[in-house]
């Protein structure tokens, strides 16, 4: 070792660049991959329909569905159904989310609320909310109130569960550290617990948006004159499968739009990830 030339020693001790490996597990998705796959599926569907490989009564071609949507749009019926469904979804989701966030934080922060709240949520959450619609009609009358209440109930339970699960997942050492510095309780909730629980809350929003879509369609099928659910039910009864699938496409667009909005919120509110 002592007999080695200085050039050899310098060569061994020279630093070399190493790729950074500590970026964490952040799966990256292709920006256009999903749209390309969707376009390919629609193209294959159209080719199969145009070639007569699929009976148009059972599965109309995408061109027939697009034509049905266009005819509904120019007739004004599309906007009438969409506006009715959006109103019910918006009001029901906001009411259920506000109540769910409040109850979820109460369960996560209070021992008494946890003992009472989890018992009631565990007992009532498995009940299909659409099964309560006839009872809500008896209580609230025939109108928009039972449908909005059905959506709000479905959203409430899922939101409450995601919120108190997110609060429980906040590292307790961060809370103890803040308490050791005599930080006020309200500040701990705002600066420590809320940011820590936010990923779970936003994930719950994705679930509750889908729940709201499912419940509004079910409620409109049972007792509504206007709405996407009522439109789909009427089209199915008349065997107008192109219009039925037009309603399904509109619901898919709703879900895609909600997913984009929540994704934008995640990038804005979870900027530290």
């Amino acid at each position: 070792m002592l007999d080695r030339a200085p050039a050899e020693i310098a060569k061994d001790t020279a630093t070399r660049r190493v790729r950074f490996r500590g970026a964490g597990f952040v799966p990256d998705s292709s920006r256009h991959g999903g749209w390309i796959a969707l376009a390919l599926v629609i193209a294959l569907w159209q080719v199969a329909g145009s070639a007569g490989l699929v009976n148009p009564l059972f599965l109309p071609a995408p061109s027939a569905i697009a034509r049905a949507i266009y005819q509904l749009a120019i007739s004004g019926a599309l906007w009438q159904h969409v506006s009715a469904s959006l109103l019910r979804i918006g009001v029901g989701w906001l009411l259920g989310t506000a109540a769910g966030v409040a109850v979820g934080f109460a369960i996560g922060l209070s021992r008494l609320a946890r003992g009472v709240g989890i018992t009631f949520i565990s007992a009532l959450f498995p009940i299909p909310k659409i099964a309560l619609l006839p009872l809500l009609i008896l209580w609230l009358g025939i109108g928009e109130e039972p449908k909005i209440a059905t959506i709000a109930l479905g959203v409430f339970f899922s939101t409450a569960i995601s919120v108190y699960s997110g609060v429980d997942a906040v590292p307790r050492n961060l809370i103890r550290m803040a308490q050791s510095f005599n930080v006020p309780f309200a500040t701990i909730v705002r600066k420590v617990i809320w940011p820590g629980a936010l990923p779970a809350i936003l994930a719950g929003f994705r679930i509750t948006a889908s729940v709201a879509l499912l419940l509004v369609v079910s409620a409109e099928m049972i007792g509504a004159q206007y709405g996407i659910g009522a439109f789909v039910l009427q089209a199915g009864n008349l065997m107008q499968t192109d219009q039925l699938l037009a309603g399904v496409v509109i619901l898919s667009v709703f879900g895609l739009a909600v997913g984009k909005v929540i994704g934008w919120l995640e990038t804005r509110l979870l900027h530290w990830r």
Side-chain angles (χ1 to χ4, degrees):
M1 182 69 182
L2 297 176
D3 296 336
R4 296 176 63 185
E8 295 180 358
I9 298 175
K11 182 178 180 181
D12 290 343
T13 58
T15 59
R16 60 188 180 90
R17 297 180 63 86
V18 178
R19 185 174 61 87
F20 180 63
R21 305 188 185 96
F25 181 70
V26 183
D28 191 13
S29 59
S30 174
R31 178 175 298 181
H32 305 294
W35 294 107
I36 294 173
L38 180 61
L40 288 175
V41 170
I42 294 175
L44 291 175
W45 182 4
Q46 180 64 42
V47 169
S50 301
L53 301 177
V54 180
N55 190 336
L57 179 62
F58 297 106
L59 187 63
S63 57
I65 299 172
R67 188 163 50 250
I69 295 175
Y70 174 74
Q71 291 173 353
L72 288 169
I74 61 176
S75 67
L78 176 63
W79 316 116
Q80 193 173 26
H81 291 297
V82 169
S83 60
S85 295
L86 283 178
L87 176 63
R88 294 163 184 150
I89 291 173
V91 176
W93 188 85
L94 288 175
L95 291 175
T97 298
V101 169
V103 172
F105 266 101
I107 292 174
L109 299 176
S110 170
R111 181 177 301 177
L112 176 62
R114 177 180 292 267
V116 175
I118 291 182
T119 301
F120 277 93
I121 289 177
S122 300
L124 299 177
F125 177 65
I127 299 174
K129 307 307 176 290
I130 196 63
L132 301 176
L133 182 58
L135 183 61
L136 293 174
I137 291 175
L138 290 176
W139 289 350
L140 303 175
I142 299 175
E144 298 299 322
E145 291 82 1
K147 305 175 189 61
I148 293 174
T150 302
I151 297 169
L153 280 175
V155 170
F156 165 77
F157 287 101
S158 299
T159 302
I161 291 172
S162 65
V163 170
Y164 80 71
S165 299
V167 172
D168 288 344
V170 177
R172 288 298 181 263
N173 58 343
L174 297 179
I175 299 176
R176 296 189 186 99
M177 184 183 301
Q179 290 173 336
S180 66
F181 285 99
N182 201 23
V183 178
F185 175 75
T187 304
I188 294 177
V189 172
R190 189 175 69 254
K191 296 292 187 180
V192 179
I193 297 178
W194 170 255
L198 196 55
I201 295 174
L202 292 177
F205 285 176
R206 289 185 180 274
I207 297 173
T208 56
S210 301
V211 170
L213 282 174
L214 291 173
L215 289 176
V216 74
V217 171
S218 302
E220 289 172 347
M221 284 183 174
I222 293 177
Q225 184 177 3
Y226 299 106
I228 300 300
F231 169 74
V232 168
L233 179 63
Q234 181 182 4
N237 291 334
L238 299 175
M239 294 298 292
Q240 298 172 335
T241 51
D242 55 343
Q243 296 193 17
L244 189 153
L245 288 176
V248 173
V249 169
I250 294 168
L251 292 173
S252 298
V253 172
F254 280 178
L256 182 62
V258 170
K260 291 295 184 181
V261 171
I262 296 177
W264 178 82
L265 286 176
E266 288 178 343
T267 57
R268 292 286 182 174
L269 299 177
L270 306 179
H271 53 83
W272 64 85
R273 294 204 304 179

